[in-house]
Amino acid sequence: MNRERNKEYTKRKIIESAIELFSIQDYQKTSLEEISKKAGVTKTTFFAYFKTKEELLYDFDLEQLKVFEQRMELCVKDSQELLSKLREAIVDMAKNLHKTRIITQNLIHLGTISPVYKKLLSEIFNILPRIMYKTIQHGQEIGVITKNISPMIIGENLVKIYIGVIVQWSFLDEANKDLAEVMDDTIKNYISGIEG
């Protein structure tokens, strides 16, 4: 049990160290040596957990997806605040994945130059609407979300909005607005249009 906990701690430390570095400097210029040093492990230890930096990022993305999925399950259990909890979960996922504009720009760039990471991102963007499906369907059953649009279409729209806000915020937002604020306002506007 202790050994498993230590392995999980080491893996977590490597991911956190990499994300810290990717948040302040260029992804491609961040070496495995830098990540390993920051995490307090050897390069060999890094390779015991991850084959590449892309795999590390994918693991980080999957962690956030699991947290999001757990939050969707809670939305269904707490029907009274379903729409605000859905909105909060989307905003929190954005905040956790996109801590700085630099990391977001790095991730977007990586998605354009790395076929491996592009494929992994594509999988995540296909999984997200399915995770939201049950919550949206439940919202329709209890009358807080319109039944005029299928749950899958609503989920897909929310993913497209999410991606659009991330790109706009990271490259075009000169006002230096907080990502959470921009995401919250945009998702709130969409949700007001699908209320039942």
mmCIF file of all heavy atoms in Angstrom, residues 59-105:
data_model
loop_
_atom_site.group_PDB
_atom_site.id
_atom_site.type_symbol
_atom_site.label_atom_id
_atom_site.label_comp_id
_atom_site.label_asym_id
_atom_site.label_seq_id
_atom_site.Cartn_x
_atom_site.Cartn_y
_atom_site.Cartn_z
ATOM 1 N N ASP A 59 -1.997 12.425 -19.629
ATOM 2 C CA ASP A 59 -2.348 11.964 -18.280
ATOM 3 C C ASP A 59 -2.974 13.095 -17.469
ATOM 4 O O ASP A 59 -3.956 12.907 -16.767
ATOM 5 C CB ASP A 59 -1.105 11.441 -17.559
ATOM 6 C CG ASP A 59 -1.172 9.971 -17.271
ATOM 7 O OD1 ASP A 59 -1.568 9.221 -18.186
ATOM 8 O OD2 ASP A 59 -0.830 9.579 -16.142
ATOM 9 N N PHE A 60 -2.372 14.273 -17.567
ATOM 10 C CA PHE A 60 -2.908 15.449 -16.872
ATOM 11 C C PHE A 60 -4.319 15.763 -17.375
ATOM 12 O O PHE A 60 -5.233 16.005 -16.580
ATOM 13 C CB PHE A 60 -1.977 16.645 -17.078
ATOM 14 C CG PHE A 60 -2.461 17.912 -16.442
ATOM 15 C CD1 PHE A 60 -2.538 18.027 -15.059
ATOM 16 C CD2 PHE A 60 -2.845 18.989 -17.225
ATOM 17 C CE1 PHE A 60 -2.989 19.201 -14.465
ATOM 18 C CE2 PHE A 60 -3.287 20.166 -16.644
ATOM 19 C CZ PHE A 60 -3.361 20.283 -15.256
ATOM 20 N N ASP A 61 -4.506 15.735 -18.689
ATOM 21 C CA ASP A 61 -5.838 15.975 -19.272
ATOM 22 C C ASP A 61 -6.845 14.940 -18.766
ATOM 23 O O ASP A 61 -7.980 15.281 -18.423
ATOM 24 C CB ASP A 61 -5.784 15.914 -20.804
ATOM 25 C CG ASP A 61 -5.017 17.074 -21.417
ATOM 26 O OD1 ASP A 61 -4.771 18.076 -20.714
ATOM 27 O OD2 ASP A 61 -4.654 16.970 -22.598
ATOM 28 N N LEU A 62 -6.421 13.672 -18.722
ATOM 29 C CA LEU A 62 -7.321 12.612 -18.260
ATOM 30 C C LEU A 62 -7.698 12.785 -16.794
ATOM 31 O O LEU A 62 -8.844 12.521 -16.409
ATOM 32 C CB LEU A 62 -6.700 11.237 -18.478
ATOM 33 C CG LEU A 62 -6.695 10.715 -19.911
ATOM 34 C CD1 LEU A 62 -6.062 9.334 -19.971
ATOM 35 C CD2 LEU A 62 -8.085 10.669 -20.510
ATOM 36 N N GLU A 63 -6.761 13.245 -15.982
ATOM 37 C CA GLU A 63 -7.065 13.518 -14.569
ATOM 38 C C GLU A 63 -8.187 14.550 -14.471
ATOM 39 O O GLU A 63 -9.125 14.395 -13.687
ATOM 40 C CB GLU A 63 -5.836 14.077 -13.844
ATOM 41 C CG GLU A 63 -4.809 13.069 -13.452
ATOM 42 C CD GLU A 63 -3.611 13.725 -12.776
ATOM 43 O OE1 GLU A 63 -3.696 14.912 -12.375
ATOM 44 O OE2 GLU A 63 -2.585 13.039 -12.650
ATOM 45 N N GLN A 64 -8.053 15.611 -15.262
ATOM 46 C CA GLN A 64 -9.074 16.665 -15.228
ATOM 47 C C GLN A 64 -10.416 16.143 -15.748
ATOM 48 O O GLN A 64 -11.474 16.515 -15.254
ATOM 49 C CB GLN A 64 -8.625 17.874 -16.047
ATOM 50 C CG GLN A 64 -7.355 18.523 -15.551
ATOM 51 C CD GLN A 64 -7.403 18.853 -14.066
ATOM 52 O OE1 GLN A 64 -8.376 19.425 -13.578
ATOM 53 N NE2 GLN A 64 -6.368 18.479 -13.334
ATOM 54 N N LEU A 65 -10.361 15.249 -16.720
ATOM 55 C CA LEU A 65 -11.571 14.639 -17.263
ATOM 56 C C LEU A 65 -12.270 13.789 -16.209
ATOM 57 O O LEU A 65 -13.499 13.820 -16.092
ATOM 58 C CB LEU A 65 -11.183 13.777 -18.470
ATOM 59 C CG LEU A 65 -12.174 13.615 -19.600
ATOM 60 C CD1 LEU A 65 -12.658 14.950 -20.118
ATOM 61 C CD2 LEU A 65 -11.566 12.802 -20.723
ATOM 62 N N LYS A 66 -11.492 13.053 -15.408
ATOM 63 C CA LYS A 66 -12.072 12.239 -14.334
ATOM 64 C C LYS A 66 -12.747 13.119 -13.289
ATOM 65 O O LYS A 66 -13.839 12.806 -12.815
ATOM 66 C CB LYS A 66 -10.996 11.364 -13.679
ATOM 67 C CG LYS A 66 -10.575 10.197 -14.515
ATOM 68 C CD LYS A 66 -9.448 9.422 -13.856
ATOM 69 C CE LYS A 66 -8.876 8.406 -14.815
ATOM 70 N NZ LYS A 66 -7.623 7.824 -14.347
ATOM 71 N N VAL A 67 -12.089 14.215 -12.936
ATOM 72 C CA VAL A 67 -12.680 15.154 -11.973
ATOM 73 C C VAL A 67 -13.985 15.711 -12.542
ATOM 74 O O VAL A 67 -15.000 15.791 -11.849
ATOM 75 C CB VAL A 67 -11.696 16.300 -11.635
ATOM 76 C CG1 VAL A 67 -12.375 17.407 -10.849
ATOM 77 C CG2 VAL A 67 -10.483 15.764 -10.886
ATOM 78 N N PHE A 68 -13.954 16.069 -13.830
ATOM 79 C CA PHE A 68 -15.153 16.602 -14.485
ATOM 80 C C PHE A 68 -16.276 15.564 -14.484
ATOM 81 O O PHE A 68 -17.429 15.885 -14.199
ATOM 82 C CB PHE A 68 -14.820 17.039 -15.914
ATOM 83 C CG PHE A 68 -15.967 17.693 -16.624
ATOM 84 C CD1 PHE A 68 -16.363 18.979 -16.279
ATOM 85 C CD2 PHE A 68 -16.640 17.034 -17.636
ATOM 86 C CE1 PHE A 68 -17.421 19.595 -16.931
ATOM 87 C CE2 PHE A 68 -17.704 17.643 -18.292
ATOM 88 C CZ PHE A 68 -18.088 18.926 -17.946
ATOM 89 N N GLU A 69 -15.932 14.320 -14.763
ATOM 90 C CA GLU A 69 -16.930 13.246 -14.773
ATOM 91 C C GLU A 69 -17.558 13.068 -13.389
ATOM 92 O O GLU A 69 -18.774 12.908 -13.258
ATOM 93 C CB GLU A 69 -16.283 11.941 -15.245
ATOM 94 C CG GLU A 69 -17.277 10.833 -15.487
ATOM 95 C CD GLU A 69 -16.655 9.661 -16.224
ATOM 96 O OE1 GLU A 69 -15.410 9.513 -16.221
ATOM 97 O OE2 GLU A 69 -17.424 8.887 -16.815
ATOM 98 N N GLN A 70 -16.746 13.120 -12.349
ATOM 99 C CA GLN A 70 -17.268 13.019 -10.985
ATOM 100 C C GLN A 70 -18.213 14.182 -10.687
ATOM 101 O O GLN A 70 -19.249 14.005 -10.061
ATOM 102 C CB GLN A 70 -16.119 12.998 -9.968
ATOM 103 C CG GLN A 70 -15.301 11.733 -10.028
ATOM 104 C CD GLN A 70 -13.966 11.854 -9.288
ATOM 105 O OE1 GLN A 70 -13.542 12.933 -8.878
ATOM 106 N NE2 GLN A 70 -13.290 10.732 -9.130
ATOM 107 N N ARG A 71 -17.864 15.364 -11.168
ATOM 108 C CA ARG A 71 -18.726 16.529 -10.950
ATOM 109 C C ARG A 71 -20.042 16.383 -11.706
ATOM 110 O O ARG A 71 -21.083 16.813 -11.218
ATOM 111 C CB ARG A 71 -17.995 17.808 -11.367
ATOM 112 C CG ARG A 71 -16.751 17.992 -10.547
ATOM 113 C CD ARG A 71 -16.447 19.243 -9.890
ATOM 114 N NE ARG A 71 -17.272 20.364 -9.816
ATOM 115 C CZ ARG A 71 -16.824 21.606 -9.944
ATOM 116 N NH1 ARG A 71 -15.564 21.828 -10.193
ATOM 117 N NH2 ARG A 71 -17.637 22.626 -9.801
ATOM 118 N N MET A 72 -20.008 15.776 -12.885
ATOM 119 C CA MET A 72 -21.243 15.553 -13.641
ATOM 120 C C MET A 72 -22.162 14.586 -12.884
ATOM 121 O O MET A 72 -23.377 14.758 -12.855
ATOM 122 C CB MET A 72 -20.953 15.002 -15.042
ATOM 123 C CG MET A 72 -20.334 15.993 -16.003
ATOM 124 S SD MET A 72 -21.341 17.443 -16.357
ATOM 125 C CE MET A 72 -20.682 18.621 -15.182
ATOM 126 N N GLU A 73 -21.562 13.570 -12.275
ATOM 127 C CA GLU A 73 -22.357 12.619 -11.482
ATOM 128 C C GLU A 73 -23.010 13.316 -10.295
ATOM 129 O O GLU A 73 -24.158 13.031 -9.956
ATOM 130 C CB GLU A 73 -21.478 11.459 -11.012
ATOM 131 C CG GLU A 73 -21.070 10.536 -12.147
ATOM 132 C CD GLU A 73 -19.965 9.558 -11.788
ATOM 133 O OE1 GLU A 73 -19.599 9.457 -10.599
ATOM 134 O OE2 GLU A 73 -19.464 8.884 -12.716
ATOM 135 N N LEU A 74 -22.299 14.257 -9.681
ATOM 136 C CA LEU A 74 -22.874 15.019 -8.567
ATOM 137 C C LEU A 74 -24.002 15.935 -9.039
ATOM 138 O O LEU A 74 -24.959 16.165 -8.305
ATOM 139 C CB LEU A 74 -21.789 15.845 -7.865
ATOM 140 C CG LEU A 74 -20.745 15.064 -7.078
ATOM 141 C CD1 LEU A 74 -19.663 15.993 -6.547
ATOM 142 C CD2 LEU A 74 -21.392 14.298 -5.936
ATOM 143 N N CYS A 75 -23.882 16.465 -10.252
ATOM 144 C CA CYS A 75 -24.947 17.317 -10.815
ATOM 145 C C CYS A 75 -26.266 16.565 -10.860
ATOM 146 O O CYS A 75 -27.319 17.110 -10.553
ATOM 147 C CB CYS A 75 -24.601 17.775 -12.229
ATOM 148 S SG CYS A 75 -23.382 19.080 -12.340
ATOM 149 N N VAL A 76 -26.195 15.309 -11.285
ATOM 150 C CA VAL A 76 -27.406 14.499 -11.403
ATOM 151 C C VAL A 76 -28.016 14.256 -10.017
ATOM 152 O O VAL A 76 -29.227 14.265 -9.852
ATOM 153 C CB VAL A 76 -27.112 13.164 -12.126
ATOM 154 C CG1 VAL A 76 -28.315 12.245 -12.107
ATOM 155 C CG2 VAL A 76 -26.662 13.433 -13.560
ATOM 156 N N LYS A 77 -27.166 14.092 -9.020
ATOM 157 C CA LYS A 77 -27.654 13.842 -7.660
ATOM 158 C C LYS A 77 -28.246 15.095 -7.018
ATOM 159 O O LYS A 77 -29.119 15.018 -6.176
ATOM 160 C CB LYS A 77 -26.527 13.288 -6.786
ATOM 161 C CG LYS A 77 -26.112 11.895 -7.194
ATOM 162 C CD LYS A 77 -24.959 11.392 -6.369
ATOM 163 C CE LYS A 77 -24.550 10.018 -6.884
ATOM 164 N NZ LYS A 77 -23.328 9.548 -6.269
ATOM 165 N N ASP A 78 -27.731 16.274 -7.393
ATOM 166 C CA ASP A 78 -28.208 17.529 -6.830
ATOM 167 C C ASP A 78 -28.953 18.310 -7.907
ATOM 168 O O ASP A 78 -28.459 19.286 -8.447
ATOM 169 C CB ASP A 78 -27.037 18.344 -6.277
ATOM 170 C CG ASP A 78 -27.488 19.613 -5.563
ATOM 171 O OD1 ASP A 78 -28.699 19.785 -5.371
ATOM 172 O OD2 ASP A 78 -26.623 20.420 -5.213
ATOM 173 N N SER A 79 -30.155 17.877 -8.218
ATOM 174 C CA SER A 79 -30.920 18.413 -9.333
ATOM 175 C C SER A 79 -31.257 19.893 -9.196
ATOM 176 O O SER A 79 -31.414 20.592 -10.197
ATOM 177 C CB SER A 79 -32.226 17.632 -9.499
ATOM 178 O OG SER A 79 -31.929 16.286 -9.777
ATOM 179 N N GLN A 80 -31.379 20.401 -7.973
ATOM 180 C CA GLN A 80 -31.820 21.787 -7.796
ATOM 181 C C GLN A 80 -30.854 22.798 -8.397
ATOM 182 O O GLN A 80 -31.273 23.839 -8.884
ATOM 183 C CB GLN A 80 -32.026 22.089 -6.314
ATOM 184 C CG GLN A 80 -33.239 21.385 -5.742
ATOM 185 C CD GLN A 80 -33.517 21.825 -4.315
ATOM 186 O OE1 GLN A 80 -32.620 22.305 -3.636
ATOM 187 N NE2 GLN A 80 -34.748 21.645 -3.883
ATOM 188 N N GLU A 81 -29.595 22.519 -8.345
ATOM 189 C CA GLU A 81 -28.590 23.458 -8.848
ATOM 190 C C GLU A 81 -27.880 22.905 -10.087
ATOM 191 O O GLU A 81 -26.734 23.256 -10.354
ATOM 192 C CB GLU A 81 -27.557 23.750 -7.747
ATOM 193 C CG GLU A 81 -28.128 24.429 -6.526
ATOM 194 C CD GLU A 81 -28.635 25.832 -6.829
ATOM 195 O OE1 GLU A 81 -27.988 26.544 -7.616
ATOM 196 O OE2 GLU A 81 -29.693 26.193 -6.289
ATOM 197 N N LEU A 82 -28.561 22.067 -10.846
ATOM 198 C CA LEU A 82 -27.942 21.356 -11.957
ATOM 199 C C LEU A 82 -27.233 22.284 -12.942
ATOM 200 O O LEU A 82 -26.069 22.075 -13.266
ATOM 201 C CB LEU A 82 -28.986 20.507 -12.684
ATOM 202 C CG LEU A 82 -28.417 19.594 -13.766
ATOM 203 C CD1 LEU A 82 -28.983 18.201 -13.613
ATOM 204 C CD2 LEU A 82 -28.743 20.132 -15.135
ATOM 205 N N LEU A 83 -27.899 23.325 -13.410
ATOM 206 C CA LEU A 83 -27.304 24.193 -14.428
ATOM 207 C C LEU A 83 -26.123 24.998 -13.892
ATOM 208 O O LEU A 83 -25.105 25.132 -14.572
ATOM 209 C CB LEU A 83 -28.362 25.133 -15.019
ATOM 210 C CG LEU A 83 -29.412 24.431 -15.883
ATOM 211 C CD1 LEU A 83 -30.482 25.411 -16.324
ATOM 212 C CD2 LEU A 83 -28.777 23.760 -17.080
ATOM 213 N N SER A 84 -26.237 25.500 -12.675
ATOM 214 C CA SER A 84 -25.104 26.260 -12.143
ATOM 215 C C SER A 84 -23.929 25.329 -11.833
ATOM 216 O O SER A 84 -22.767 25.701 -12.015
ATOM 217 C CB SER A 84 -25.506 27.077 -10.908
ATOM 218 O OG SER A 84 -25.909 26.243 -9.862
ATOM 219 N N LYS A 85 -24.214 24.103 -11.408
ATOM 220 C CA LYS A 85 -23.135 23.146 -11.133
ATOM 221 C C LYS A 85 -22.467 22.692 -12.439
ATOM 222 O O LYS A 85 -21.253 22.486 -12.472
ATOM 223 C CB LYS A 85 -23.664 21.967 -10.335
ATOM 224 C CG LYS A 85 -24.041 22.359 -8.901
ATOM 225 C CD LYS A 85 -24.066 21.170 -7.999
ATOM 226 C CE LYS A 85 -24.440 21.526 -6.591
ATOM 227 N NZ LYS A 85 -23.518 22.419 -5.940
ATOM 228 N N LEU A 86 -23.245 22.542 -13.495
ATOM 229 C CA LEU A 86 -22.689 22.209 -14.809
ATOM 230 C C LEU A 86 -21.748 23.333 -15.255
ATOM 231 O O LEU A 86 -20.615 23.076 -15.675
ATOM 232 C CB LEU A 86 -23.812 22.019 -15.831
ATOM 233 C CG LEU A 86 -23.403 21.838 -17.292
ATOM 234 C CD1 LEU A 86 -22.574 20.587 -17.487
ATOM 235 C CD2 LEU A 86 -24.641 21.804 -18.188
ATOM 236 N N ARG A 87 -22.211 24.555 -15.132
ATOM 237 C CA ARG A 87 -21.403 25.713 -15.516
ATOM 238 C C ARG A 87 -20.116 25.775 -14.681
ATOM 239 O O ARG A 87 -19.028 25.954 -15.207
ATOM 240 C CB ARG A 87 -22.220 26.994 -15.345
ATOM 241 C CG ARG A 87 -21.555 28.219 -15.933
ATOM 242 C CD ARG A 87 -22.390 29.469 -15.746
ATOM 243 N NE ARG A 87 -22.156 30.010 -14.410
ATOM 244 C CZ ARG A 87 -23.099 30.198 -13.487
ATOM 245 N NH1 ARG A 87 -24.347 29.915 -13.739
ATOM 246 N NH2 ARG A 87 -22.789 30.690 -12.307
ATOM 247 N N GLU A 88 -20.237 25.612 -13.376
ATOM 248 C CA GLU A 88 -19.072 25.645 -12.489
ATOM 249 C C GLU A 88 -18.053 24.566 -12.846
ATOM 250 O O GLU A 88 -16.837 24.806 -12.817
ATOM 251 C CB GLU A 88 -19.495 25.464 -11.028
ATOM 252 C CG GLU A 88 -20.187 26.654 -10.426
ATOM 253 C CD GLU A 88 -20.816 26.334 -9.068
ATOM 254 O OE1 GLU A 88 -20.494 25.272 -8.477
ATOM 255 O OE2 GLU A 88 -21.645 27.138 -8.608
ATOM 256 N N ALA A 89 -18.546 23.373 -13.185
ATOM 257 C CA ALA A 89 -17.645 22.268 -13.531
ATOM 258 C C ALA A 89 -16.857 22.584 -14.798
ATOM 259 O O ALA A 89 -15.650 22.313 -14.878
ATOM 260 C CB ALA A 89 -18.435 20.970 -13.695
ATOM 261 N N ILE A 90 -17.511 23.180 -15.783
ATOM 262 C CA ILE A 90 -16.834 23.545 -17.032
ATOM 263 C C ILE A 90 -15.795 24.634 -16.764
ATOM 264 O O ILE A 90 -14.661 24.566 -17.235
ATOM 265 C CB ILE A 90 -17.857 23.988 -18.099
ATOM 266 C CG1 ILE A 90 -18.740 22.794 -18.516
ATOM 267 C CG2 ILE A 90 -17.160 24.593 -19.315
ATOM 268 C CD1 ILE A 90 -19.944 23.162 -19.357
ATOM 269 N N VAL A 91 -16.175 25.639 -15.974
ATOM 270 C CA VAL A 91 -15.263 26.737 -15.651
ATOM 271 C C VAL A 91 -14.059 26.214 -14.872
ATOM 272 O O VAL A 91 -12.910 26.569 -15.168
ATOM 273 C CB VAL A 91 -16.000 27.850 -14.875
ATOM 274 C CG1 VAL A 91 -15.026 28.881 -14.322
ATOM 275 C CG2 VAL A 91 -17.050 28.521 -15.764
ATOM 276 N N ASP A 92 -14.298 25.360 -13.890
ATOM 277 C CA ASP A 92 -13.194 24.821 -13.091
ATOM 278 C C ASP A 92 -12.247 23.972 -13.932
ATOM 279 O O ASP A 92 -11.025 24.004 -13.733
ATOM 280 C CB ASP A 92 -13.726 24.005 -11.908
ATOM 281 C CG ASP A 92 -14.287 24.893 -10.812
ATOM 282 O OD1 ASP A 92 -14.069 26.125 -10.842
ATOM 283 O OD2 ASP A 92 -14.968 24.358 -9.914
ATOM 284 N N MET A 93 -12.785 23.209 -14.882
ATOM 285 C CA MET A 93 -11.928 22.414 -15.753
ATOM 286 C C MET A 93 -11.021 23.344 -16.570
ATOM 287 O O MET A 93 -9.824 23.086 -16.708
ATOM 288 C CB MET A 93 -12.763 21.534 -16.682
ATOM 289 C CG MET A 93 -11.921 20.614 -17.545
ATOM 290 S SD MET A 93 -12.856 19.381 -18.468
ATOM 291 C CE MET A 93 -13.939 20.403 -19.447
ATOM 292 N N ALA A 94 -11.591 24.426 -17.061
ATOM 293 C CA ALA A 94 -10.787 25.395 -17.823
ATOM 294 C C ALA A 94 -9.689 25.998 -16.951
ATOM 295 O O ALA A 94 -8.534 26.101 -17.378
ATOM 296 C CB ALA A 94 -11.684 26.490 -18.385
ATOM 297 N N LYS A 95 -10.039 26.376 -15.726
ATOM 298 C CA LYS A 95 -9.035 26.968 -14.817
ATOM 299 C C LYS A 95 -7.918 25.988 -14.503
ATOM 300 O O LYS A 95 -6.748 26.363 -14.438
ATOM 301 C CB LYS A 95 -9.698 27.395 -13.495
ATOM 302 C CG LYS A 95 -10.480 28.667 -13.584
ATOM 303 C CD LYS A 95 -10.891 29.211 -12.230
ATOM 304 C CE LYS A 95 -11.460 28.210 -11.276
ATOM 305 N NZ LYS A 95 -12.108 28.796 -10.097
ATOM 306 N N ASN A 96 -8.270 24.718 -14.299
ATOM 307 C CA ASN A 96 -7.262 23.712 -13.936
ATOM 308 C C ASN A 96 -6.348 23.341 -15.102
ATOM 309 O O ASN A 96 -5.167 23.073 -14.915
ATOM 310 C CB ASN A 96 -7.934 22.463 -13.378
ATOM 311 C CG ASN A 96 -8.577 22.720 -12.037
ATOM 312 O OD1 ASN A 96 -8.165 23.602 -11.294
ATOM 313 N ND2 ASN A 96 -9.617 21.969 -11.721
ATOM 314 N N LEU A 97 -6.908 23.317 -16.297
ATOM 315 C CA LEU A 97 -6.114 22.939 -17.472
ATOM 316 C C LEU A 97 -5.336 24.111 -18.056
ATOM 317 O O LEU A 97 -4.297 23.923 -18.677
ATOM 318 C CB LEU A 97 -7.022 22.357 -18.561
ATOM 319 C CG LEU A 97 -7.498 20.932 -18.344
ATOM 320 C CD1 LEU A 97 -8.614 20.581 -19.310
ATOM 321 C CD2 LEU A 97 -6.350 19.960 -18.494
ATOM 322 N N HIS A 98 -5.849 25.316 -17.887
ATOM 323 C CA HIS A 98 -5.291 26.489 -18.563
ATOM 324 C C HIS A 98 -4.936 27.557 -17.535
ATOM 325 O O HIS A 98 -5.549 28.619 -17.486
ATOM 326 C CB HIS A 98 -6.277 27.010 -19.606
ATOM 327 C CG HIS A 98 -6.666 25.958 -20.590
ATOM 328 N ND1 HIS A 98 -5.885 25.641 -21.680
ATOM 329 C CD2 HIS A 98 -7.725 25.120 -20.627
ATOM 330 C CE1 HIS A 98 -6.460 24.659 -22.352
ATOM 331 N NE2 HIS A 98 -7.571 24.322 -21.735
ATOM 332 N N LYS A 99 -3.927 27.252 -16.741
ATOM 333 C CA LYS A 99 -3.534 28.138 -15.646
ATOM 334 C C LYS A 99 -2.951 29.462 -16.148
ATOM 335 O O LYS A 99 -3.071 30.479 -15.490
ATOM 336 C CB LYS A 99 -2.536 27.434 -14.741
ATOM 337 C CG LYS A 99 -3.127 26.210 -14.050
ATOM 338 C CD LYS A 99 -2.087 25.501 -13.223
ATOM 339 C CE LYS A 99 -2.541 24.185 -12.676
ATOM 340 N NZ LYS A 99 -3.703 24.188 -11.846
ATOM 341 N N THR A 100 -2.294 29.431 -17.299
ATOM 342 C CA THR A 100 -1.714 30.648 -17.878
ATOM 343 C C THR A 100 -1.932 30.636 -19.386
ATOM 344 O O THR A 100 -2.181 29.579 -19.981
ATOM 345 C CB THR A 100 -0.194 30.740 -17.612
ATOM 346 O OG1 THR A 100 0.463 29.683 -18.331
ATOM 347 C CG2 THR A 100 0.133 30.655 -16.133
ATOM 348 N N ARG A 101 -1.809 31.798 -19.986
ATOM 349 C CA ARG A 101 -1.920 31.883 -21.444
ATOM 350 C C ARG A 101 -0.795 31.085 -22.118
ATOM 351 O O ARG A 101 -0.991 30.482 -23.156
ATOM 352 C CB ARG A 101 -1.868 33.342 -21.895
ATOM 353 C CG ARG A 101 -3.166 34.076 -21.716
ATOM 354 C CD ARG A 101 -3.050 35.496 -22.262
ATOM 355 N NE ARG A 101 -4.353 36.103 -22.389
ATOM 356 C CZ ARG A 101 -5.031 36.652 -21.391
ATOM 357 N NH1 ARG A 101 -4.521 36.654 -20.185
ATOM 358 N NH2 ARG A 101 -6.216 37.181 -21.598
ATOM 359 N N ILE A 102 0.374 31.093 -21.503
ATOM 360 C CA ILE A 102 1.515 30.385 -22.102
ATOM 361 C C ILE A 102 1.234 28.894 -22.208
ATOM 362 O O ILE A 102 1.464 28.291 -23.255
ATOM 363 C CB ILE A 102 2.815 30.641 -21.300
ATOM 364 C CG1 ILE A 102 3.235 32.100 -21.425
ATOM 365 C CG2 ILE A 102 3.936 29.727 -21.772
ATOM 366 C CD1 ILE A 102 4.382 32.499 -20.520
ATOM 367 N N ILE A 103 0.715 28.289 -21.136
ATOM 368 C CA ILE A 103 0.448 26.844 -21.219
ATOM 369 C C ILE A 103 -0.626 26.562 -22.264
ATOM 370 O O ILE A 103 -0.535 25.604 -23.021
ATOM 371 C CB ILE A 103 0.090 26.214 -19.859
ATOM 372 C CG1 ILE A 103 0.173 24.681 -19.981
ATOM 373 C CG2 ILE A 103 -1.284 26.620 -19.382
ATOM 374 C CD1 ILE A 103 0.100 23.942 -18.673
ATOM 375 N N THR A 104 -1.613 27.435 -22.357
ATOM 376 C CA THR A 104 -2.676 27.233 -23.343
ATOM 377 C C THR A 104 -2.125 27.364 -24.757
ATOM 378 O O THR A 104 -2.415 26.546 -25.627
ATOM 379 C CB THR A 104 -3.815 28.243 -23.103
ATOM 380 O OG1 THR A 104 -4.284 28.062 -21.763
ATOM 381 C CG2 THR A 104 -4.968 28.014 -24.064
ATOM 382 N N GLN A 105 -1.306 28.375 -24.984
ATOM 383 C CA GLN A 105 -0.687 28.534 -26.297
ATOM 384 C C GLN A 105 0.205 27.340 -26.631
ATOM 385 O O GLN A 105 0.215 26.850 -27.763
ATOM 386 C CB GLN A 105 0.103 29.843 -26.349
ATOM 387 C CG GLN A 105 -0.790 31.057 -26.302
ATOM 388 C CD GLN A 105 -0.055 32.343 -25.981
ATOM 389 O OE1 GLN A 105 1.159 32.350 -25.791
ATOM 390 N NE2 GLN A 105 -0.787 33.442 -25.934
#
